[in-house]
Amino acid sequence: MKDITVRVFRFDPENDEKPHFQTYSASVSDGARVLHALHAIHNEHDPTLSYRYCCGSGQCGSCAVRVNGEPVLACMEEARDGMTVEPLDLPIVKDLVVDMGPYLDSLHALVPAPEFRMPTPDEVEEIKPLRSCIECLACVSACPALKVIDFAGPTAMRQELRLQLDPRDQQDRVTEAVGEGLFTCTSCQACWKVCPKDIQLPGKAIEKLRALANKKGLTLPRHQDVAQLVKETGRSVVRTETSFLEQIPEVLEPYGEVKGTVGFFVGCMYNQRLPQTALDAMEVLRRNGIRVIIPKEQVCCGSPLIRTGQVDFLDTLKRRNIDAFVFRNIDTVLTMCAGCGSTLKHDYKTPFKVMDINEVLTKYGIEPPARLPLKATYHDPCHLLRGQGIKNQPRELITQVVDLIEMPAICCGSGGGVKSGVPDEAAALGEKRREEIKKTGADIVISSCPFCEYHIRDHSDIPVKNVTTVLLEGYREKDRKAKEQKPC
Amino acid sequence: MRSDDVLLCHVLVIGSGGAGVRAAIEASQYGETLLVSKTIAGKGGCTTMAEGGYNAVLRTADSCDIHFEDTMKGGARLNDRDLVQILVKEAPERMNDLLKWGAVFDVTTECEVAQRPFGGQRFPRTCYAGDRTGHEMMMTLIDRLDSTGVGVHNEITIIDLLKDGDTVCGAAALDRKGELVLIKADSTVIATGGGTKVYDISTNSSSGTGDGYAIGYRAGAELIDMEQVQFHPTGAVYPYDARGRLVTEAVRGEGGVLKNSLGERFMSAYDPERMELSTRDVVARAIATEILEGRGTTHAGVYLDVTHLPRSQIETRLPVMLEQFLKFGVDIRNEPMEVAPTAHHIMGGLRITTQCETTIPGLYACGEVTGGVHGANRLGGNALADTQVFGKRAGEAAGKAGKKTVCIDDAQVDTIRSTVDNYMKGDTNPSHVIRSLQTAMWEGAGIFRTAPDLEKTLGIISHLSTIRLKAASPENLAECCIVRNMLLTASLIVRGALLRKESRGAHVRKDVTQAWDPSSSPYRHTYLSDRREGIETGVWE
Ligand SMILES: Cc1cc2nc3c(=O)[nH]c(=O)nc-3n(C[C@H](O)[C@H](O)[C@H](O)COP(=O)(O)OP(=O)(O)OC[C@H]3O[C@@H](n4cnc5c(N)ncnc54)[C@H](O)[C@@H]3O)c2cc1C
Ligand code: SF4
Ligand code: SF4
Ligand code: FES
């Protein structure tokens, strides 16, 4: 047995004006789960603590709560000393018990078709992963989109695809899903990351439904325009100034000793909208011994098409991009756009390794920049944090140049085609970022994704900068100081 | 309580597991039906947790007669013949209902439902959806339920049946806040599931507290074979809080082997023919014996090993097991599991007819709360079939029963109310009473039993029953009522165990030497009601 401290959310809407936290010291066995800590509190300290559970083994989906902010199953998550336990972000009945009923009722049920046909083994294999959902609603709690717009939510989309794939159901679930906000998902991956059954909701449900919607001609007009643009120009955005690729030689030698060589995949946004940021990044790479090869024939990675379900043209893009790097015998491709990086890593089968710039810089180590007298906050790009699991590396870089104040990692609203397709939603999510940014009291916001940087710029009262731009500023400051100290 | 606080319906179904939901779907065709359960429909009960599968005769090479014989043999011939006949005959039809309603079972390349071998069966007839079969069934049933007019009341705990004279006329319940709710019904179906939570080590969900046995008993219904408690051979042993969690029989069905700490495949000493796939009572006793005789692991278990199977087979056929063990730091693809017996299923329960009528008018029952179908030992896969076959029958019989002019008995309601109110004035934390009960049951009424141990256990239960339970707030009232039910259910198990002076199926009396085997046993059912108790005698044909 061991004693752990647990901070628990308490709220009885009928008697309490507002929620409060209560801290307990609970005696639990080794290997105890959060649920057992709650049992210990309930049995030994306070029988009035309300929480829901049933199977105790991750099968019924009754017990989801947030532990240190992250939705988890109480019966499966290991209890840790100092943890904070809160209810899911759903209407609260009491303490940790939320009202699951209305959401569960809203999920659609199979409507048997007049003709019965058993699903084939292939159909069963396709449906099965969608079927393992235990309706714990962790994903619903985590989804940023449904908090700002009418959206049935991640597991509702999963259920729609499950029904669509079943020959025994007679309804048109694709059109239904479109009506329920299929195009409002920002592809932030939050739902997948919290799903105790590891159901890849955005990739395996939402994007598939969007592809089916595309076949029915239900793709949003703005998304169709993007696809048209990609087909015509190889790029998903219109060029507003001289592009990055037009400004740069094919090979950039580092200033000092060569520590490594990478191929650079720039992506549409940094190429056509934010070329200066990409140029800043090249400076940082050169300064840190990285030789960069930049094939000029590279095109859009296809992410805007995949996320919106427009996949017919995809193979052409993939082939062109892969060939561009393979032709130059490149074994490591560097991305600095979180979306491109995630796409190359997950949607491509590449004969080369793909690394994000934060990974490369922390792998080789950087020359220390001067410290800037700034307080910064960092916005985790969804496709970096959840898409590529990159959390510490940018922080490791940032803290070498400025002080970092954390804020919760929530989608800014720029992904999944939402900025173009559902601008109101993107703006609403952007405004939520503004509030969080304000709370930190920081002087600048740092991020590492062109979509986030571009979008948050419209929803922040302070400047938004890329990680590498801030590093470069640190180097410039260092150089300036060095010059000042040199006797003339 | 004003009279308009009473919910009215034609059929009241108590319990939203496989049996209850199936009953409600069926009953709704005949009149207004209410489904009340202490958990959220679809999430509560043990059906959702069932992993292994559902037995049904689907192939021409198999037959209902063989399924019947397997079930009888597995049940040590204590089963009600009529009920077993119905079970084996209707299990395939009920499987078809599920398929029609959208259940996603694993299928063969010929698009037939796939089947796997399970213990004690001569044909691989266990249909499955990976190792989440019960969950698949529940999702399907809830889908179907949504398309009926059944009124679903979640998180309401039934505390007693209401009676008008001898006839059951509904039930009294407590809602989340501890408010009394009365429900008046022409017919009432109990489908509250099992109750092995009365043991320290159990596979059951939190709702497996035996409420139905206790509620039925208090209302005057008769129960049979309550001593027949199945100890599943393979429950988790580590970490402490996960003890008892089921390691599905499918693990052995897929080819898992049992080994003791000396590395011996010890089943060869107990049942060389069927080995790991012997019936559960045999395997559980074998494991318990290995551990008692010092050949167990340091966590007091034995090894269950699947590392010789292809990794892909483990990943696709046993994903839930893989995931659960990974969470506790054991990768079953690379290392063996440690397992020991755990209290799993109560074969005994409310005595029913083939129409699911209990011994009191107006009350029907189906699912694990009933007795007779599984005899002295249930075959893996037969319980899920049971829920569907008898769930439908109960719903149909209850629905077809006529309207009744029944009245709620105010005096009874007053008694219920005062019992409940008294919990506000009690002095003992109910969770402490549960712990004492669970320990006593595990020690005194477990796998191996003797009369002195059972008497002692009964004494402890009687003492615990005199303790004044304390509800810390009105919301805790239901908890107190449930503890009362656990105590009563435990006492029924022990009383049944004392009545059956033989070893049969899951029930082993170490203090009795007997000269008969199940087919020549002079005993039939034990029975318990508030009016009589005893054991039926006579060799079955
Ligand atoms: C872990 C596990 C695995 C299993 N695997 C298999 C398997 O693979 N194959 C197989 O055939 N069998 C299996 N079984 C057995 C089988 O699952 C059960 O016997 C069967 O599901 C019982 O169904 P039921 O509907 O009778 O009860 P349950 O599914 O247990 O449902 C009982 C319902 O009654 C409600 N309830 C209880 N008390 C009250 C009350 N006082 N008031 C209101 N509502 C109440 C509960 O909330 C719940 O909704 C397994 C059992 C367990 C525990
Ligand atoms: S990916 Fe993000 S926005 Fe889309 S459903 Fe999941 S949580 Fe919601
Ligand atoms: S998809 Fe995953 S997180 Fe969402 S309800 Fe289902 S199991 Fe829970
Ligand atoms: S209690 Fe069932 S999933 Fe946690």
Side-chain angles (χ1 to χ4, degrees), chain A residues 59, chain B residues 14-20 36-39 44-54 118 133 156-159 191-194 203-205 207 209 211-212 215 246 248 280 344-345 366-369 378-385 387 482 485:
Chain A
Q59 290 166 291
Chain B
I14 308 169
S16 62
V36 175
S37 96
K38 66 178 177 182
T39 52
C46 295
T47 309
T48 327
M49 302 171 71
E51 294 160 353
Y54 176 118
F118 245 39
T133 312
I156 292 190
T157 307
I158 300 286
I159 55 171
T192 47
T203 59
N204 277 196
S205 73
S207 70
T209 47
D211 296 8
I215 290 169
L246 183 72
T248 170
R280 287 178 178 174
H344 185 48
H345 189 95
C366 53
E368 192 171 335
V369 76
R378 171 174 72 79
L379 292 184
N382 266 359
L384 288 181
T387 63
I482 289 169
N485 292 337

Side-chain angles (χ1 to χ4, degrees), chain A residues 61 64 71 73 100 103-104 107 130 132-140 154-156 158 191-192 194-201, chain B residues 43:
Chain A
L73 292 182
M100 303 178 86
Y103 193 89
L104 294 177
L107 294 174
L130 301 169
S132 59
C133 169
I134 54 172
E135 296 179 356
C136 67
L137 308 191
C139 58
V140 176
T155 194
R158 171 204 58 73
C191 48
W192 173 26
V194 301
C195 175
K197 298 288 151 180
D198 198 25
I199 303 173
Q200 203 184 334
L201 295 145
Chain B
K43 294 196 172 297

Side-chain angles (χ1 to χ4, degrees), chain A residues 276-327:
Chain A
Q276 187 53 49
T277 310
L279 293 169
D280 291 350
M282 295 306 110
E283 275 305 297
V284 172
L285 289 169
R286 293 178 78 181
R287 185 140 181 165
N288 285 292
I290 314 291
R291 187 163 167 269
V292 191
I293 302 169
I294 309 159
K296 295 292 170 68
E297 68 270 32
Q298 57 180 286
V299 288
C300 172
C301 69
S303 167
L305 306 183
I306 303 172
R307 308 297 152 239
T308 57
Q310 310 180 84
V311 289
D312 355 319
F313 191 56
L314 205 61
D315 287 342
T316 318
L317 297 176
K318 285 187 182 173
R319 203 176 44 247
R320 280 170 69 182
N321 286 325
I322 292 175
D323 286 353
F325 292 97
V326 169
F327 180 68

Side-chain angles (χ1 to χ4, degrees), chain A residues 172-446:
Chain A
D172 171 6
R173 302 298 179 173
V174 174
T175 310
E176 190 170 70
V178 172
E180 289 177 337
L182 177 62
F183 288 104
T184 65
C185 161
T186 66
S187 314
C188 77
Q189 321 281 327
C191 48
W192 173 26
K193 291 294 145 168
V194 301
C195 175
K197 298 288 151 180
D198 198 25
I199 303 173
Q200 203 184 334
L201 295 145
K204 296 279 160 67
I206 291 169
E207 284 166 17
K208 284 198 174 156
L209 276 171
R210 287 180 176 182
L212 293 171
N214 182 248
K215 290 212 179 98
K216 284 182 174 283
L218 296 172
T219 301
L220 298 182
R222 298 286 292 272
H223 292 166
Q224 291 177 19
D225 294 348
V226 173
Q228 194 55 35
L229 194 64
V230 174
K231 270 185 204 158
E232 281 163 13
T233 67
R235 288 292 170 196
S236 61
V237 293
V238 183
R239 175 171 163 281
T240 47
E241 52 186 303
T242 317
S243 75
F244 169 81
L245 290 173
E246 288 165 336
Q247 299 182 44
I248 204 98
E250 189 162 314
V251 179
L252 286 175
E253 293 297 340
Y255 295 122
E257 164 211 2
V258 182
K259 291 200 228 158
T261 300
V262 296
F264 178 50
F265 185 88
V266 62
C268 301
M269 282 294 282
Y270 282 131
N271 188 45
Q272 333 241 111
R273 289 278 168 83
L274 299 165
Q276 187 53 49
T277 310
L279 293 169
D280 291 350
M282 295 306 110
E283 275 305 297
V284 172
L285 289 169
R286 293 178 78 181
R287 185 140 181 165
N288 285 292
I290 314 291
R291 187 163 167 269
V292 191
I293 302 169
I294 309 159
K296 295 292 170 68
E297 68 270 32
Q298 57 180 286
V299 288
C300 172
C301 69
S303 167
L305 306 183
I306 303 172
R307 308 297 152 239
T308 57
Q310 310 180 84
V311 289
D312 355 319
F313 191 56
L314 205 61
D315 287 342
T316 318
L317 297 176
K318 285 187 182 173
R319 203 176 44 247
R320 280 170 69 182
N321 286 325
I322 292 175
D323 286 353
F325 292 97
V326 169
F327 180 68
R328 291 168 180 83
N329 286 325
I330 289 166
D331 58 14
T332 303
V333 169
L334 174 130
T335 53
M336 65 179 287
C337 168
C340 300
S342 184
T343 303
L344 292 185
K345 282 179 182 175
H346 305 305
D347 298 294
Y348 276 54
K349 277 198 187 64
T350 55
F352 42 78
K353 194 174 166 160
V354 179
M355 284 177 90
D356 177 72
I357 190 161
N358 292 284
E359 289 177 293
V360 169
L361 289 174
T362 46
K363 179 182 160 199
Y364 290 104
I366 57 165
E367 172 199 339
R371 282 201 83 77
L372 302 174
L374 290 174
K375 278 184 297 178
T377 188
Y378 174 65
H379 168 78
D380 282 287
C382 297
H383 290 285
L384 200 60
L385 176 68
R386 290 178 282 270
Q388 302 180 54
I390 297 177
K391 179 176 181 188
N392 294 330
Q393 297 89 328
R395 288 173 168 80
E396 204 179 294
L397 299 172
I398 291 167
T399 48
Q400 296 189 46
V401 56
V402 289
D403 292 338
L404 178 64
I405 307 160
E406 293 284 359
M407 61 175 176
I410 303 167
C411 177
C412 69
S414 67
V418 166
K419 192 172 167 68
S420 64
V422 198
D424 288 349
E425 178 194 351
L429 287 169
E431 284 308 298
K432 290 194 126 188
R433 283 281 81 177
R434 187 196 299 275
E435 285 162 32
E436 292 293 341
I437 292 167
K438 252 195 202 144
K439 275 192 224 160
T440 65
D443 306 306
I444 56 167
V445 188
I446 300 177

Side-chain angles (χ1 to χ4, degrees), chain B residues 155-204:
Chain B
E155 302 190 306
I156 292 190
T157 307
I158 300 286
I159 55 171
D160 261 315
L161 295 170
L162 294 174
K163 284 183 78 180
D164 182 357
D166 279 343
T167 302
V168 172
C169 63
L174 291 170
D175 67 12
R176 273 203 75 93
K177 292 191 196 120
E179 304 265 355
L180 193 64
V181 180
L182 300 181
I183 305 156
K184 204 170 113 175
D186 299 321
S187 312
T188 300
V189 179
I190 293 198
T192 47
T196 61
K197 274 283 169 202
V198 299
Y199 286 93
D200 181 43
I201 302 178
S202 159
T203 59
N204 277 196

Side-chain angles (χ1 to χ4, degrees), chain B residues 334-354:
Chain B
N334 303 329
E335 49 196 316
M337 295 162 252
E338 281 182 62
V339 296
T342 168
H344 185 48
H345 189 95
I346 301 185
M347 274 76 68
L350 294 166
R351 192 195 277 272
I352 53 165
T353 65
T354 52

Side-chain angles (χ1 to χ4, degrees), chain A residues 417-476:
Chain A
V418 166
K419 192 172 167 68
S420 64
V422 198
D424 288 349
E425 178 194 351
L429 287 169
E431 284 308 298
K432 290 194 126 188
R433 283 281 81 177
R434 187 196 299 275
E435 285 162 32
E436 292 293 341
I437 292 167
K438 252 195 202 144
K439 275 192 224 160
T440 65
D443 306 306
I444 56 167
V445 188
I446 300 177
S447 197
S448 195
C449 167
F451 293 94
C452 301
E453 290 159 30
Y454 201 73
H455 184 58
I456 295 176
R457 231 167 248 191
D458 295 337
H459 299 282
S460 162
D461 311 315
I462 53 174
V464 184
K465 292 184 181 173
N466 183 271
V467 178
T468 52
T469 305
V470 180
L471 285 179
L472 186 62
E473 284 172 11
Y475 289 135
R476 295 210 169 115

